[in-house]
mmCIF file of all heavy atoms in Angstrom:
data_model
loop_
_atom_site.group_PDB
_atom_site.id
_atom_site.type_symbol
_atom_site.label_atom_id
_atom_site.label_comp_id
_atom_site.label_asym_id
_atom_site.label_seq_id
_atom_site.Cartn_x
_atom_site.Cartn_y
_atom_site.Cartn_z
ATOM 1 N N THR D 1 0.839 -1.191 0.000
ATOM 2 C CA THR D 1 0.000 0.000 0.000
ATOM 3 C C THR D 1 0.873 1.239 0.000
ATOM 4 O O THR D 1 2.071 1.179 0.281
ATOM 5 C CB THR D 1 -0.904 0.017 1.246
ATOM 6 O OG1 THR D 1 -0.086 -0.192 2.407
ATOM 7 C CG2 THR D 1 -1.967 -1.084 1.188
ATOM 8 N N TRP D 2 0.242 2.374 -0.310
ATOM 9 C CA TRP D 2 0.926 3.673 -0.318
ATOM 10 C C TRP D 2 0.709 4.311 1.044
ATOM 11 O O TRP D 2 -0.414 4.685 1.380
ATOM 12 C CB TRP D 2 0.324 4.542 -1.417
ATOM 13 C CG TRP D 2 1.019 5.822 -1.717
ATOM 14 C CD1 TRP D 2 0.932 6.972 -0.999
ATOM 15 C CD2 TRP D 2 1.880 6.101 -2.825
ATOM 16 N NE1 TRP D 2 1.698 7.966 -1.584
ATOM 17 C CE2 TRP D 2 2.287 7.463 -2.711
ATOM 18 C CE3 TRP D 2 2.355 5.347 -3.905
ATOM 19 C CZ2 TRP D 2 3.131 8.064 -3.642
ATOM 20 C CZ3 TRP D 2 3.200 5.949 -4.829
ATOM 21 C CH2 TRP D 2 3.576 7.282 -4.692
ATOM 22 N N PRO D 3 1.733 4.446 1.887
ATOM 23 C CA PRO D 3 1.532 5.046 3.208
ATOM 24 C C PRO D 3 0.854 6.411 3.116
ATOM 25 O O PRO D 3 1.281 7.279 2.363
ATOM 26 C CB PRO D 3 2.959 5.165 3.758
ATOM 27 C CG PRO D 3 3.705 4.057 3.077
ATOM 28 C CD PRO D 3 3.134 4.022 1.690
ATOM 29 N N GLY D 4 -0.226 6.569 3.877
ATOM 30 C CA GLY D 4 -1.029 7.768 3.791
ATOM 31 C C GLY D 4 -2.096 7.706 2.728
ATOM 32 O O GLY D 4 -2.945 8.589 2.635
ATOM 33 N N GLY D 5 -2.084 6.646 1.915
ATOM 34 C CA GLY D 5 -3.065 6.462 0.856
ATOM 35 C C GLY D 5 -4.215 5.585 1.299
ATOM 36 O O GLY D 5 -4.333 5.215 2.468
ATOM 37 N N PRO D 6 -5.094 5.201 0.381
ATOM 38 C CA PRO D 6 -6.315 4.479 0.732
ATOM 39 C C PRO D 6 -6.084 2.996 1.028
ATOM 40 O O PRO D 6 -5.133 2.393 0.536
ATOM 41 C CB PRO D 6 -7.185 4.638 -0.516
ATOM 42 C CG PRO D 6 -6.182 4.723 -1.627
ATOM 43 C CD PRO D 6 -5.019 5.505 -1.067
ATOM 44 N N GLN D 7 -6.967 2.438 1.832
ATOM 45 C CA GLN D 7 -7.041 0.986 1.992
ATOM 46 C C GLN D 7 -7.874 0.493 0.804
ATOM 47 O O GLN D 7 -9.067 0.263 0.889
ATOM 48 C CB GLN D 7 -7.701 0.623 3.325
ATOM 49 C CG GLN D 7 -7.742 -0.865 3.624
ATOM 50 C CD GLN D 7 -6.370 -1.461 3.887
ATOM 51 O OE1 GLN D 7 -5.611 -0.950 4.701
ATOM 52 N NE2 GLN D 7 -6.033 -2.529 3.190
ATOM 53 N N TYR D 8 -7.209 0.347 -0.348
ATOM 54 C CA TYR D 8 -7.930 0.191 -1.604
ATOM 55 C C TYR D 8 -8.517 -1.196 -1.811
ATOM 56 O O TYR D 8 -9.399 -1.389 -2.643
ATOM 57 C CB TYR D 8 -7.031 0.572 -2.791
ATOM 58 C CG TYR D 8 -5.780 -0.270 -2.954
ATOM 59 C CD1 TYR D 8 -5.753 -1.352 -3.809
ATOM 60 C CD2 TYR D 8 -4.620 0.048 -2.250
ATOM 61 C CE1 TYR D 8 -4.611 -2.109 -3.977
ATOM 62 C CE2 TYR D 8 -3.474 -0.699 -2.399
ATOM 63 C CZ TYR D 8 -3.472 -1.782 -3.268
ATOM 64 O OH TYR D 8 -2.333 -2.528 -3.421
ATOM 65 N N LEU D 9 -8.016 -2.177 -1.074
ATOM 66 C CA LEU D 9 -8.577 -3.533 -1.074
ATOM 67 C C LEU D 9 -8.491 -4.076 0.346
ATOM 68 O O LEU D 9 -7.742 -3.552 1.175
ATOM 69 C CB LEU D 9 -7.810 -4.450 -2.038
ATOM 70 C CG LEU D 9 -8.151 -4.326 -3.531
ATOM 71 C CD1 LEU D 9 -7.225 -5.182 -4.361
ATOM 72 C CD2 LEU D 9 -9.605 -4.686 -3.810
ATOM 73 N N PRO D 10 -9.246 -5.137 0.646
ATOM 74 C CA PRO D 10 -9.223 -5.678 2.005
ATOM 75 C C PRO D 10 -7.807 -6.062 2.460
ATOM 76 O O PRO D 10 -6.945 -6.414 1.647
ATOM 77 C CB PRO D 10 -10.121 -6.907 1.907
ATOM 78 C CG PRO D 10 -11.051 -6.601 0.784
ATOM 79 C CD PRO D 10 -10.229 -5.824 -0.212
ATOM 80 N N ARG D 11 -7.605 -5.996 3.771
ATOM 81 C CA ARG D 11 -6.273 -6.254 4.320
ATOM 82 C C ARG D 11 -5.769 -7.653 4.021
ATOM 83 O O ARG D 11 -4.563 -7.857 3.873
ATOM 84 C CB ARG D 11 -6.300 -6.016 5.831
ATOM 85 C CG ARG D 11 -6.512 -4.560 6.216
ATOM 86 C CD ARG D 11 -6.789 -4.421 7.700
ATOM 87 N NE ARG D 11 -7.140 -3.046 8.051
ATOM 88 C CZ ARG D 11 -7.734 -2.702 9.178
ATOM 89 N NH1 ARG D 11 -8.046 -3.651 10.073
ATOM 90 N NH2 ARG D 11 -8.028 -1.448 9.430
ATOM 91 N N PHE D 12 -6.683 -8.626 3.924
ATOM 92 C CA PHE D 12 -6.186 -9.985 3.694
ATOM 93 C C PHE D 12 -5.617 -10.145 2.278
ATOM 94 O O PHE D 12 -4.927 -11.132 1.995
ATOM 95 C CB PHE D 12 -7.292 -11.024 3.962
ATOM 96 C CG PHE D 12 -8.306 -11.183 2.864
ATOM 97 C CD1 PHE D 12 -8.147 -12.134 1.873
ATOM 98 C CD2 PHE D 12 -9.444 -10.387 2.830
ATOM 99 C CE1 PHE D 12 -9.090 -12.283 0.868
ATOM 100 C CE2 PHE D 12 -10.391 -10.534 1.844
ATOM 101 C CZ PHE D 12 -10.214 -11.480 0.853
ATOM 102 N N ILE D 13 -5.849 -9.166 1.414
ATOM 103 C CA ILE D 13 -5.308 -9.221 0.058
ATOM 104 C C ILE D 13 -4.020 -8.398 -0.046
ATOM 105 O O ILE D 13 -3.008 -8.885 -0.558
ATOM 106 C CB ILE D 13 -6.335 -8.709 -0.969
ATOM 107 C CG1 ILE D 13 -7.591 -9.573 -0.941
ATOM 108 C CG2 ILE D 13 -5.729 -8.697 -2.377
ATOM 109 C CD1 ILE D 13 -8.712 -9.032 -1.797
ATOM 110 N N VAL D 14 -4.048 -7.149 0.441
ATOM 111 C CA VAL D 14 -2.908 -6.252 0.244
ATOM 112 C C VAL D 14 -2.228 -5.828 1.540
ATOM 113 O O VAL D 14 -1.213 -5.134 1.505
ATOM 114 C CB VAL D 14 -3.329 -4.990 -0.548
ATOM 115 C CG1 VAL D 14 -3.796 -5.359 -1.942
ATOM 116 C CG2 VAL D 14 -4.389 -4.188 0.203
ATOM 117 N N GLY D 15 -2.754 -6.232 2.693
ATOM 118 C CA GLY D 15 -2.193 -5.777 3.951
ATOM 119 C C GLY D 15 -2.714 -4.400 4.326
ATOM 120 O O GLY D 15 -3.614 -3.848 3.689
ATOM 121 N N ARG D 16 -2.130 -3.833 5.369
ATOM 122 C CA ARG D 16 -2.618 -2.561 5.909
ATOM 123 C C ARG D 16 -2.021 -1.358 5.180
ATOM 124 O O ARG D 16 -0.844 -1.350 4.832
ATOM 125 C CB ARG D 16 -2.251 -2.444 7.398
ATOM 126 C CG ARG D 16 -3.023 -3.368 8.317
ATOM 127 C CD ARG D 16 -2.630 -3.108 9.768
ATOM 128 N NE ARG D 16 -3.332 -3.996 10.676
ATOM 129 C CZ ARG D 16 -4.537 -3.753 11.178
ATOM 130 N NH1 ARG D 16 -5.169 -2.631 10.864
ATOM 131 N NH2 ARG D 16 -5.098 -4.621 11.998
ATOM 132 N N ALA D 17 -2.861 -0.330 5.027
ATOM 133 C CA ALA D 17 -2.390 0.979 4.585
ATOM 134 C C ALA D 17 -2.052 1.799 5.833
ATOM 135 O O ALA D 17 -2.928 2.109 6.636
ATOM 136 C CB ALA D 17 -3.452 1.678 3.757
ATOM 137 N N SER D 18 -0.804 2.132 5.992
ATOM 138 C CA SER D 18 -0.362 2.848 7.192
ATOM 139 C C SER D 18 -0.787 4.307 7.156
ATOM 140 O O SER D 18 -0.793 4.952 6.103
ATOM 141 C CB SER D 18 1.157 2.766 7.318
ATOM 142 O OG SER D 18 1.610 3.510 8.437
ATOM 143 N N ARG D 19 -1.119 4.827 8.341
ATOM 144 C CA ARG D 19 -1.408 6.253 8.512
ATOM 145 C C ARG D 19 -0.305 6.955 9.296
ATOM 146 O O ARG D 19 -0.455 8.105 9.671
ATOM 147 C CB ARG D 19 -2.750 6.418 9.255
ATOM 148 C CG ARG D 19 -3.937 5.816 8.530
ATOM 149 C CD ARG D 19 -4.326 6.657 7.316
ATOM 150 N NE ARG D 19 -5.421 6.065 6.572
ATOM 151 C CZ ARG D 19 -5.277 5.276 5.521
ATOM 152 N NH1 ARG D 19 -4.060 4.969 5.103
ATOM 153 N NH2 ARG D 19 -6.317 4.794 4.868
ATOM 154 N N GLN D 20 0.801 6.267 9.523
ATOM 155 C CA GLN D 20 1.864 6.828 10.355
ATOM 156 C C GLN D 20 2.832 7.729 9.597
ATOM 157 O O GLN D 20 3.615 8.456 10.207
ATOM 158 C CB GLN D 20 2.636 5.696 11.046
ATOM 159 C CG GLN D 20 1.779 4.752 11.855
ATOM 160 C CD GLN D 20 1.017 5.438 12.989
ATOM 161 O OE1 GLN D 20 1.188 6.617 13.266
ATOM 162 N NE2 GLN D 20 0.142 4.684 13.656
ATOM 163 N N VAL D 21 2.802 7.676 8.277
ATOM 164 C CA VAL D 21 3.633 8.561 7.461
ATOM 165 C C VAL D 21 2.890 8.796 6.158
ATOM 166 O O VAL D 21 2.166 7.921 5.681
ATOM 167 C CB VAL D 21 5.034 7.945 7.209
ATOM 168 C CG1 VAL D 21 4.941 6.649 6.440
ATOM 169 C CG2 VAL D 21 5.943 8.931 6.491
ATOM 170 N N ASP D 22 3.014 9.984 5.634
ATOM 171 C CA ASP D 22 2.428 10.317 4.338
ATOM 172 C C ASP D 22 3.539 10.220 3.296
ATOM 173 O O ASP D 22 4.431 11.081 3.237
ATOM 174 C CB ASP D 22 1.825 11.717 4.376
ATOM 175 C CG ASP D 22 1.075 12.063 3.095
ATOM 176 O OD1 ASP D 22 1.629 11.852 2.001
ATOM 177 O OD2 ASP D 22 -0.069 12.552 3.192
ATOM 178 N N ALA D 23 3.501 9.180 2.473
ATOM 179 C CA ALA D 23 4.581 8.948 1.521
ATOM 180 C C ALA D 23 4.711 10.092 0.526
ATOM 181 O O ALA D 23 5.830 10.479 0.159
ATOM 182 C CB ALA D 23 4.361 7.629 0.790
ATOM 183 N N SER D 24 3.602 10.646 0.077
ATOM 184 C CA SER D 24 3.665 11.706 -0.932
ATOM 185 C C SER D 24 4.384 12.934 -0.381
ATOM 186 O O SER D 24 5.268 13.505 -1.033
ATOM 187 C CB SER D 24 2.257 12.072 -1.406
ATOM 188 O OG SER D 24 1.649 10.968 -2.049
#
């Protein structure tokens, strides 16, 4: 996932989208 980006698919498919850093 893109840190700071959307949880675009369920976690069991792509894992967690972190909110601890904004990659952009």
Side-chain angles (χ1 to χ4, degrees):
T1 51
W2 189 281
Q7 184 68 51
Y8 61 95
L9 281 174
R11 293 169 186 163
F12 79 93
I13 299 173
V14 297
R16 289 183 181 274
S18 177
R19 299 287 177 265
Q20 305 300 354
V21 62
D22 186 312
S24 296

